[in-house]
Amino acid sequence: GQQLNQSPQSMFIQEGEDVSMNCTSSSIFNTWLWYKQDPGEGPVLLIALYKAGELTSNGRLTAQFGITRKDSFLNISASIPSDVGIYFCAGQPYGGSQGNLIFGKGTKLSVKP
Amino acid sequence: ETGVTQTPRHLVMGMTNKKSLKCEQHLGHNAMYWYKQSAKKPLELMFVYNFKEQTENNSVPSRFSPECPNSSHLFLHLHTLQPEDSALYLCASSQEWSGQGAIRSGNTIYFGEGSWLTVV
């Protein structure tokens, strides 16, 4: 089946650092979504991307829908402690139904000890 | 607060029990979803309801039985579950589900906080 490769799987951040993560696929997607999930909670939508090449910001977060429609990245600038959590990318495959999003396995952000 | 409320937040049940998970959305959406999130696996779609009608069943075992009495409420009835069914079950909603075709701006999927299920 279709898969999303999300990387990195985990990373440690120091307050103030910029963070970057991405998702790639071998197939084309219509929509890319980025969610954040805190422990014991459901995913919360951060950014939604609907067109190839689209670049969208939400505060310190910026995400882009790749031109090839096979990838997307999420950047977090000047990270703060509350950025800790798991970030998921999700995509709606071309020709797929709206509810059947494909999810990445997540990028876990932790604070450097 | 995402506007999608799930109860209970935590549930422990035996393999012979019958229990139900409840979801309510306060967003005026017409489509509701059940997703399963297991450890170290991506989120998996289970069911989709659009205007109270089931439109997708992602090959889910019959021990999971969904019910959608109206556009605002969604249930997942559970019986004779297995320990491997232990997971976080997430309810979600969106404005509508129109089958194939790109998700339009404003029709994004919003998740509830989830119900942690442990089968013993």
Side-chain angles (χ1 to χ4, degrees):
Chain A
Q2 287 166 318
Q3 290 184 358
L4 286 182
N5 299 309
Q6 185 170 351
S7 64
Q9 288 187 1
S10 62
M11 57 193 309
F12 288 89
I13 59 172
Q14 202 146 41
E15 188 170 353
E17 285 181 341
D18 294 344
V19 172
S20 185
M21 61 193 78
N22 69 81
C23 271
T24 60
S25 173
S26 59
S27 51
I28 292 172
F29 282 73
N30 282 333
T31 302
W32 287 96
L33 307 170
W34 285 94
Y35 290 88
K36 182 191 178 195
Q37 187 172 23
D38 291 326
E41 305 292 329
V44 175
L45 181 67
L46 299 174
I47 293 179
L49 303 162
Y50 302 103
K51 295 179 184 177
E54 182 178 354
L55 182 71
T56 298
S57 293
N58 178 4
R60 293 177 296 103
L61 276 60
T62 302
Q64 184 159 31
F65 192 144
I67 289 290
T68 64
R69 298 172 65 186
K70 295 181 179 181
D71 62 341
S72 176
F73 72 75
L74 175 71
N75 287 339
I76 305 172
S77 63
S79 58
I80 59 177
S82 61
D83 290 334
V84 164
I86 301 178
Y87 292 79
F88 290 97
C89 63
Q92 183 209 6
Y94 175 77
S97 64
Q98 292 178 355
N100 212 348
L101 295 175
I102 308 296
F103 282 82
K105 291 187 177 181
T107 294
K108 184 177 181 181
L109 245 58
S110 305
V111 176
K112 275 183 186 173
Chain B
E1 176 60 50
T2 64
V4 182
T5 305
Q6 290 186 241
T7 55
R9 295 294 313 279
H10 298 271
L11 176 63
V12 179
M13 61 185 288
M15 288 189 284
T16 58
N17 290 159
K18 286 186 180 181
K19 297 285 184 183
S20 297
L21 305 180
K22 178 184 175 182
C23 177
E24 181 176 1
Q25 56 94 1
H26 312 276
L27 301 169
H29 288 167
N30 295 306
M32 296 187 76
Y33 312 79
W34 280 116
Y35 281 84
K36 177 183 178 183
Q37 187 175 32
S38 306
K40 300 182 181 179
K41 290 178 69 175
L43 275 153
E44 302 170 83
L45 178 69
M46 299 175 71
F47 301 103
V48 181
Y49 276 82
N50 193 45
F51 292 92
K52 303 186 297 179
E53 299 295 323
Q54 187 179 127
T55 50
E56 293 224 358
N57 176 338
N58 230 16
S59 303
V60 181
S62 59
R63 57 186 184 270
F64 294 93
S65 175
E67 178 190 0
C68 188
N70 54 61
S71 293
S72 300
H73 294 85
L74 185 66
F75 295 88
L76 188 63
H77 303 301
L78 316 167
H79 67 99
T80 61
L81 295 191
Q82 304 298 313
E84 58 265 30
D85 295 322
S86 299
L88 177 66
Y89 288 85
L90 291 159
C91 175
S93 72
S94 67
Q95 186 60 43
E96 64 185 61
W97 180 90
S98 53
Q100 295 190 356
I103 297 174
R104 298 193 310 278
S105 175
N107 196 29
T108 315
I109 293 174
Y110 295 89
F111 287 89
E113 294 177 321
S115 293
W116 283 99
L117 173 66
T118 303
V119 181
V120 297

